Amino acid sequence: MNHNESKKSTPPTTWLDKFITCLIAPHLREEVLGDLHERFALRARRLGESKARQHYWRDVLTYLRPSNIKRKPTVQEFPNTYSYSPLMIRNYFKIAFRNLQRNKAYAFINVLGLALSMTCGILIFTLVNYHLNFDNFHKNSDRIYRIVTEMHRENVSYDRSVPAPLGKVFRDEHSFGEKTARIATFTNRLITLKKGNELIKLKETEGIAFTEPSFFDIFNYPLLQGNKNTVLAEPNTAILTEKLAKKYFGDENPIGKEFWLGNRIVFTVTGILKDLPPNTDRKTEIYVSYPTLKSYNSWLASDDSWGGIDDAMQCFTLLRPNVSATQAENAMAPYPKKYRPNSKNVHHYKLQPLADIHFSALYDGSMDKQNLWILSIIGFFLIITACVNFINLATAQALKRSKEVGVRKVLGGFKGQLFGQFITETAIISAVSIVMAILLSFLILPYANNFFGSQMSLNLFSDSQSALFIIALGVIVTFFAGSYPGLILAGFQPVIALKGKLSHQTIGGFNTRRALIVTQFAISQVLIIGMVVIIKQMQYAKQSDLGFDKDAIVMVQVGADSTDVKMKSLKHDLSTIAGVEKISLCRAAPSSNNVWTNSIQFDNQTEQVNFGTNMKATDEAYLSTFDLELVAGRNLFPSDSVKEFLVNETFTRKLNFSSPEKAIGKTIAANGGSMTGPIVGIVKDFHDLSFHEEINAVALTTNKGDYSNYAIKLNMANAKTTLAAIEKAWTAKFPDQIFEYEFLDESIAQFYETEERFLSLMTLFSFIAIFIGCLGLYGLVSFMAAQKTKEIGIRKVLGSSLSQILWIFGKEFARLILVAFFIAAPIAWWAMNNWLQDFEFRIEMNVWIFLSAILTTLLIAALTVAYQAMQAALMNPVKSLKTE
């Protein structure tokens, strides 16, 4: 073989080719450039590259003749009547199908990558669209507001509820609201039905709502039966949704039927409500007359209960036209001084728009808009990753199609026709991918609904937004993924293409593909780093010492109609069960969402302290049951009422005691002075809420009227038998109620339910991004193997080892992944550092988190590259060095 022939000479195409391209007539450009490059290559072999470059200048000038510069009419360059005729379009599809059938692996990889990313895109769009349309069906929704509370103490806190009398005062004293309604919702309530001698017990998770009739003037929840003006006018009346009426009374007419709340209060059904739509935050299906609240919770029903806020109570108003939220807020500004003059917990009452309720994290919105943005961005990047993967594979395949393009151009094919041909192939792949994505979306949607606790639906025929999104997705993907490879194929010069002498630059060389691979792996590594950070934070939250024992403790509710005698009797019965190690009566576990924040007066002072105290009603066994540690003083003595207090270390720090012991003996007055007693002990700090919150000041005291749970420490060796015995003893005391229990560790895990859900999504999306990225990597290594066939053959002949040849591929991709990492690392650090700010107790992002991401990526990339690289390295050099 002549060595000079194997040496490739590159013509000075930098600006000379651009210069002549601008001047030469379009229909002659490819022919002239082909002749120039061919002459340059011949001279370079005979005279050397330096002299060939000198002759190249002269050759360029010889072509600048008037006949060459004169331009043909544009209409003759691209005869649209021919390019886009039905016959030609049919031909495009025919050739496209043949090409895809010949390259099944190429088609399969592209369809798989695009289908996965499009499935994610469709499902994310469905989720985002579902949440953005919450409560948008109410008439005058732009004038509907919820009155909420800002509480200014040591810090500012926010509550979606208001003091119970506020709604009445706002309605009576001001005319800003066209309609104002209070609604008190109690979840997880026992409903009983009596059918003959049979007692049917039902647990309604969404509970029951004591509702003022004007609520249904504000919101569009239509009645199917009953008069809206009278259904809830009388005490002990109720309306049910269609679904619930069917559940309770079957096919019988529900009007006039009765049911009981907690075996205490009887209600008569006076109306039937149309089933609630899935896109509303109002899930309660039982609405009862507001005056009956007096029988259920007299304090909350009182017009004087300004002293505190119950999470059950909410107030909504429909403002009159041309009345602003600011006007209404200013009208309520004097309320705190007027109705809460001595409270250090200074309230500010604000109006929250209906459109903000679903998304506001401050006021317990069910979906933070930030999460929707994050999911949308991830979906967008997954689609970009799949398109980048398609471009990589398509350009790698371009070598195989160079002669096809050359022949078609020689036979009269135009650039526009060749571009249209490739776009057609891309459109077919996109169409197949969309069909697969839609099928996958329908299959996955039920699991997604279960995962998110939602009621999403995908209706392509009735939901125009979903249909338009899918059509737009297909068109955008087709042109974004297909345009670059199409332009490259259409731009091949026929002479060079037919000779098989295409260079890297001709087919969108390495730099472009490197950039695409870097983009893919930067996205993948951002997702991996995010996933690792969430895993570490969740491990930290679950495995850290909370300051109390949460394992093997089961929480059992005290019966709804329990008396003091019955409570103590059941506690004794439960303590005798084999497997029960300890038992305590309490309001709630040390860490619980059941929070009673109280303003207290300390050491006989007339003014309240400027911080809230989390009050916990407990008996004397509470410390030993939860293994809480006393750092000073003693435990509570047995008592049925408030006699003395235990406080935590944070409580003493907020009062500026130099040591906890100095707080012992000081007096606490809580709940407006109705709970008074000395501090007898200091408990070591424990987490009373999730790691999202700081540790609050906590006070523990005995008070039988506030006990609502049995905390039972079990021996887990025979937990099943023990729980059955506990249920039997409990049911014997409360036969007309439903026995329920919950393990404390599972209850605490619910604090992080949103984060766990987000972690699952990040894991899934990371896997998909890496998988699609590996497909792109496979495309690039295929391209490299094809380009370096002769180089590898020469290296093997000259004695290169297998490892040295493999390193040719390895170093290329290692470099790309490192570049991707240096791009991804700061982005991931910024994003996850912001995410961690939501936790008061959080991990520090260290170098190992980032190293784990890059090592994982390198390992996966190495496995992807290894197969194709080994094939190229093991090829017989005799075969690889053969020339056609």
Side-chain angles (χ1 to χ4, degrees):
M1 180 179 66
N2 190 326
H3 288 291
N4 289 326
E5 289 179 1
S6 65
K7 181 180 177 181
K8 292 185 179 179
S9 299
T10 305
T13 58
T14 325
W15 64 273
L16 277 175
D17 281 8
K18 290 181 182 178
F19 171 72
I20 198 166
T21 299
C22 291
L23 297 177
I24 295 296
H27 67 290
L28 297 175
R29 284 172 189 162
E30 292 183 9
E31 182 181 349
V32 168
L33 285 172
D35 288 346
L36 286 170
H37 290 181
E38 190 171 1
R39 287 183 186 180
F40 177 84
L42 289 170
R43 287 196 181 108
R45 285 198 296 273
R46 290 202 312 266
L47 306 174
E49 192 165 316
S50 177
K51 288 190 177 182
R53 286 179 183 275
Q54 295 173 10
H55 283 283
Y56 194 78
W57 279 77
R58 285 201 301 257
D59 290 340
V60 167
L61 294 174
T62 59
Y63 276 101
L64 298 180
R65 298 190 297 270
S67 59
N68 290 341
I69 295 173
K70 187 179 179 182
R71 298 178 178 258
K72 297 278 185 179
T74 306
V75 69
Q76 294 178 18
E77 294 179 35
F78 300 102
N80 291 333
T81 55
Y82 173 67
S83 297
Y84 300 105
S85 66
L87 187 63
M88 180 54 74
I89 291 172
R90 189 176 70 177
N91 188 54
Y92 284 166
F93 278 98
K94 186 185 294 184
I95 294 171
F97 277 114
R98 287 174 181 171
N99 283 329
L100 294 174
Q101 282 179 334
R102 278 200 305 269
N103 298 285
K104 291 185 177 66
Y106 161 78
F108 174 77
I109 290 172
N110 275 323
V111 166
L112 183 60
L114 287 172
L116 283 174
S117 65
M118 286 177 170
T119 301
C120 293
I122 291 170
L123 289 173
I124 289 172
F125 174 83
T126 304
L127 177 69
V128 171
N129 196 42
Y130 168 75
H131 284 286
L132 290 178
N133 285 304
F134 255 65
D135 285 307
N136 65 347
F137 54 87
H138 300 290
K139 186 180 178 181
N140 301 316
S141 59
D142 59 321
R143 293 196 284 128
I144 299 174
Y145 292 83
R146 179 172 67 180
I147 304 176
V148 296
T149 307
E150 278 185 17
M151 294 173 286
H152 293 245
R153 284 194 181 104
E154 180 186 27
N155 299 309
V156 180
S157 56
Y158 304 87
D159 201 302
R160 65 180 186 176
S161 304
V162 291
L166 183 142
K168 184 176 185 298
V169 171
F170 181 77
R171 182 169 52 222
D172 294 345
E173 295 185 2
H174 308 287
S175 59
F176 297 116
E178 189 176 303
K179 296 286 182 180
T180 300
R182 293 174 290 178
I183 181 168
T185 307
F186 300 89
T187 57
N188 295 308
R189 300 294 124 168
L190 173 68
I191 302 296
T192 54
L193 305 169
K194 295 177 181 177
K195 294 188 177 180
N197 295 325
E198 184 185 5
L199 182 69
I200 300 172
K201 298 178 287 185
L202 302 164
K203 186 66 172 288
E204 290 300 337
T205 307
E206 300 299 341
I208 188 169
F210 294 85
T211 313
E212 291 185 323
S214 52
F215 179 84
F216 296 100
D217 294 321
I218 298 172
F219 293 99
N220 182 30
Y221 298 121
L223 273 172
L224 300 177
Q225 290 180 255
N227 186 326
K228 184 172 67 173
N229 298 321
T230 60
V231 282
L232 296 179
E234 297 297 323
N236 300 92
T237 53
I239 58 177
L240 309 175
T241 62
E242 279 183 285
K243 185 174 71 174
L244 216 58
K246 181 82 171 174
K247 174 183 172 182
Y248 287 178
F249 308 112
D251 295 327
E252 298 178 41
N253 183 4
I255 302 297
K257 298 290 185 182
E258 294 180 340
F259 65 89
W260 278 257
L261 170 61
N263 298 307
R264 289 171 49 197
I265 305 173
V266 63
F267 290 97
T268 302
V269 179
T270 55
I272 299 300
L273 201 65
K274 185 177 179 181
D275 283 339
L276 303 176
N279 60 328
T280 178
D281 282 312
R282 175 57 52 185
K283 304 299 183 186
T284 310
E285 297 187 85
I286 306 174
Y287 297 86
V288 299
S289 54
Y290 191 85
T292 320
L293 181 61
K294 190 175 293 185
S295 304
Y296 189 74
N297 188 324
S298 58
W299 176 80
L300 196 58
S302 170
D303 289 339
D304 298 320
S305 55
W306 284 94
I309 291 178
D310 191 304
D311 196 49
M313 178 61 68
Q314 294 187 63
C315 182
F316 295 90
T317 185
L318 173 66
L319 292 184
R320 294 185 184 278
N322 302 319
V323 172
S324 69
T326 305
Q327 287 176 281
E329 289 173 354
N330 290 339
M332 293 185 288
Y335 287 4
K337 285 187 178 180
K338 184 176 180 180
Y339 297 107
R340 299 167 50 87
N342 300 318
S343 178
K344 283 289 186 179
N345 180 10
V346 181
H347 285 186
H348 294 257
Y349 303 115
K350 303 291 182 180
L351 264 63
Q352 181 186 21
L354 177 64
D356 185 57
I357 290 175
H358 185 68
F359 302 106
S360 175
L362 288 176
Y363 298 107
D364 300 325
S366 54
M367 174 56 73
D368 191 338
K369 250 184 184 173
Q370 183 182 4
N371 291 337
L372 294 182
W373 275 109
I374 292 170
L375 287 174
S376 299
I377 291 168
I378 289 174
F380 172 76
F381 279 130
L382 286 175
I383 291 170
I384 291 293
T385 301
C387 290
V388 166
N389 170 69
F390 181 94
I391 292 168
N392 265 330
L393 288 172
T395 49
Q397 285 286 320
L399 279 174
K400 295 182 180 180
R401 302 187 63 176
S402 59
K403 290 186 178 177
E404 172 201 340
V405 173
V407 169
R408 293 183 67 176
K409 282 200 166 188
V410 168
L411 295 176
F414 294 102
K415 279 186 178 181
Q417 292 171 327
L418 292 168
F419 180 79
Q421 174 65 60
F422 191 80
I423 284 292
T424 303
E425 291 179 21
T426 308
I428 291 171
I429 290 174
S430 295
V432 174
S433 300
I434 283 177
V435 171
M436 284 184 64
I438 292 171
L439 292 174
L440 283 171
S441 297
F442 276 113
L443 290 172
I444 295 170
L445 196 59
Y447 300 99
N449 278 327
N450 184 56
F451 180 76
F452 289 108
S454 60
Q455 299 179 54
M456 295 181 290
S457 60
L458 187 60
N459 302 311
L460 300 182
F461 298 105
S462 60
D463 183 2
S464 59
Q465 290 179 322
S466 296
L468 286 173
F469 172 78
I470 291 172
I471 292 168
L473 181 64
V475 172
I476 291 168
V477 166
T478 297
F479 282 95
F480 179 74
S483 294
Y484 178 71
L487 289 171
I488 288 173
L489 279 170
F492 283 171
Q493 296 173 15
V495 175
I496 297 175
L498 289 171
K499 288 186 175 182
K501 293 185 177 180
L502 291 171
S503 66
H504 295 323
Q505 288 77 14
T506 314
I507 54 172
F510 268 135
N511 287 336
T512 304
R513 265 176 294 281
R514 284 183 182 127
L516 296 175
I517 288 292
V518 166
T519 301
Q520 284 182 312
F521 277 98
I523 292 169
S524 299
Q525 289 186 74
V526 167
L527 292 173
I528 291 171
I529 292 168
M531 178 184 68
V532 173
V533 170
I534 296 173
I535 288 172
K536 293 289 185 184
Q537 178 62 26
M538 290 301 96
Q539 287 176 344
Y540 176 66
K542 290 177 179 179
Q543 296 174 9
S544 295
D545 181 13
L546 301 180
F548 62 91
D549 182 10
K550 62 181 174 63
D551 297 320
I553 293 178
V554 66
M555 305 298 294
V556 177
Q557 287 188 349
V558 171
D561 56 351
S562 185
T563 62
D564 179 37
V565 173
K566 196 181 284 189
M567 267 196 307
K568 289 182 177 178
S569 173
L570 180 56
K571 181 183 177 183
H572 175 267
D573 293 345
L574 293 175
S575 65
T576 61
I577 294 173
V580 173
E581 296 182 349
K582 296 171 185 175
I583 184 168
S584 170
L585 273 164
C586 58
R587 177 186 174 92
S591 185
S592 168
N593 279 327
N594 186 352
V595 177
W596 178 20
T597 304
N598 214 294
S599 296
I600 66 162
Q601 293 166 283
F602 182 73
D603 198 23
N604 299 314
Q605 295 174 0
T606 55
E607 288 194 356
Q608 297 175 345
V609 297
N610 67 342
F611 59 85
T613 302
N614 186 356
M615 303 294 294
K616 291 186 177 292
T618 68
D619 66 7
E620 71 284 357
Y622 194 78
L623 296 191
S624 60
T625 302
F626 291 103
D627 198 22
L628 290 166
E629 183 182 344
L630 271 175
V631 295
R634 61 169 175 83
N635 191 12
L636 298 169
F637 286 144
S639 176
D640 291 334
S641 58
V642 179
K643 299 290 185 185
E644 53 198 15
F645 289 91
L646 300 176
V647 297
N648 67 346
E649 293 171 300
T650 296
F651 184 97
T652 64
R653 277 198 299 273
K654 289 192 173 187
L655 289 172
N656 299 317
F657 284 103
S658 57
S659 65
E661 293 84 358
K662 292 186 178 180
I664 294 175
K666 304 294 184 180
T667 303
I668 289 178
N671 202 31
S674 64
M675 302 170 68
T676 305
I679 297 172
V680 296
I682 311 298
V683 180
K684 186 177 180 181
D685 273 345
F686 58 87
H687 288 274
D688 59 320
L689 291 169
S690 74
F691 275 32
H692 289 283
E693 312 289 342
E694 63 181 6
I695 294 175
N696 294 298
V698 178
L700 292 77
T701 187
T702 52
N703 189 14
K704 67 179 182 182
D706 288 323
Y707 296 154
S708 55
N709 284 283
Y710 293 98
I712 307 170
K713 176 74 172 177
L714 302 180
N715 182 335
M716 295 303 290
N718 297 298
K720 191 174 181 180
T721 304
T722 306
L723 285 170
I726 291 171
E727 180 179 5
K728 184 178 179 182
W730 191 93
T731 306
K733 297 289 185 185
F734 306 104
D736 55 353
Q737 297 180 43
I738 299 172
F739 173 77
E740 290 182 307
Y741 68 89
E742 184 175 30
F743 279 98
L744 180 57
D745 55 351
E746 294 175 357
S747 174
I748 291 172
Q750 290 175 10
F751 285 150
Y752 311 105
E753 193 173 0
T754 300
E755 287 77 15
E756 289 288 355
R757 191 180 291 131
F758 197 61
L759 174 59
S760 299
L761 289 175
M762 287 290 284
T763 304
L764 174 65
F765 292 146
S766 298
F767 171 78
I768 292 172
I770 291 169
F771 179 72
I772 294 172
C774 287
L775 293 178
L777 198 61
Y778 180 84
L780 185 54
V781 75
S782 301
F783 175 82
M784 279 186 66
Q787 286 294 298
K788 293 179 179 288
T789 301
K790 286 186 170 59
E791 178 188 338
I792 292 169
I794 292 169
R795 286 177 180 275
K796 289 186 76 174
V797 167
L798 295 176
S800 291
S801 65
L802 179 63
S803 60
Q804 289 173 323
I805 292 172
L806 289 176
W807 180 238
I808 296 173
F809 295 92
K811 68 181 178 182
E812 175 69 30
F813 299 115
R815 263 200 310 265
L816 296 181
I817 290 169
L818 284 171
V819 172
F821 172 75
F822 287 118
I823 295 171
I827 296 171
W829 180 88
W830 173 80
M832 297 316 297
N833 187 59
N834 284 342
W835 181 80
L836 285 170
Q837 298 310 307
D838 195 37
F839 292 85
E840 286 292 330
F841 299 88
R842 53 184 176 264
I843 61 167
E844 292 293 330
M845 284 193 288
N846 56 45
V847 69
W848 295 108
I849 289 173
F850 295 90
L851 284 177
S852 65
I854 191 170
L855 290 174
T856 301
T857 309
L858 284 169
L859 177 62
I860 294 170
L863 293 173
T864 304
V865 170
Y867 172 73
Q868 195 73 23
M870 285 290 289
Q871 274 194 326
L874 294 173
M875 184 181 289
N876 189 333
V878 175
K879 184 179 178 181
S880 63
L881 292 173
K882 277 198 307 182
T883 57
E884 295 181 7

